[in-house]
Amino acid sequence: MVTFEQIQLLESKVRQAVDLIASLREENGALRKTLSSYEKRIEELEVLIDSFKRDQGKIEEGIISALQQLDALESSAVEVQQHDGEATSTAEAPIEETEGESLQPDIAEPDIAESEDAEEPAPDRNGELDIF
């Protein structure tokens, strides 16, 4: 026969099981909310990744285009140098200097007054000259 103590023990264990189920349901709900927020964040990050990949592709295309332009410029510069070399070797006529004209470029002589000003020591904040 079932005693009163056994029924109380059974009732106690059922209450514990119900409490445990309730706490597990709460924890499950909290974990689902966390999972949902993580999934939203993952979607946002995937959008950013796709954007970065597109931008990286555009950057790579720009770099490749710039390199191709540099190659074309370098090729044309080499062709111009080769063309100039042929032109100077086939048509090397002496250049005559006329009276009063010089073929040397005009080189401006440094202004002596300016260089002397630069050598003067600058006064410090107290009005004294800094000679050291």
Side-chain angles (χ1 to χ4, degrees):
M1 172 143 102
V2 178
T3 64
F4 184 67
E5 290 175 3
Q6 289 175 337
I7 293 176
Q8 285 179 340
L9 183 62
L10 178 62
E11 184 181 351
S12 166
K13 290 193 180 208
V14 168
R15 260 190 250 136
Q16 286 177 352
V18 169
D19 290 342
L20 180 61
I21 290 171
S23 70
L24 289 174
R25 284 185 179 167
E26 288 177 20
E27 184 180 352
N28 190 11
L31 290 173
R32 287 182 188 268
K33 287 180 184 177
T34 304
L35 176 63
S36 175
S37 68
Y38 287 158
E39 287 174 341
K40 288 179 185 177
R41 183 64 180 150
I42 288 171
E43 289 174 10
E44 292 171 359
L45 292 174
E46 286 175 345
V47 169
L48 283 174
I49 289 171
D50 290 340
S51 173
F52 288 143
K53 284 181 181 178
R54 281 191 305 271
D55 291 347
Q56 183 180 2
K58 290 177 184 177
I59 290 169
E60 288 175 2
E61 290 173 7
I63 290 172
I64 290 170
S65 173
L67 289 173
Q68 289 172 345
Q69 290 175 2
L70 286 173
D71 287 341
L73 182 63
E74 184 178 349
S75 297
S76 66
V78 168
E79 290 174 5
V80 168
Q81 287 176 348
Q82 289 174 350
H83 180 66
D84 286 347
E86 292 172 4
T88 57
S89 65
T90 57
E92 288 186 2
I95 300 174
E96 294 182 22
E97 196 174 309
T98 60
E99 218 175 287
E101 292 182 11
S102 172
L103 295 178
Q104 304 248 342
D106 291 336
I107 300 175
E109 294 186 22
D111 190 4
I112 296 173
E114 286 181 23
S115 64
E116 289 175 4
D117 290 341
E119 293 177 1
E120 285 185 23
D124 70 359
R125 295 182 190 166
N126 296 330
E128 298 177 10
L129 292 178
D130 182 17
I131 58 174
F132 296 104

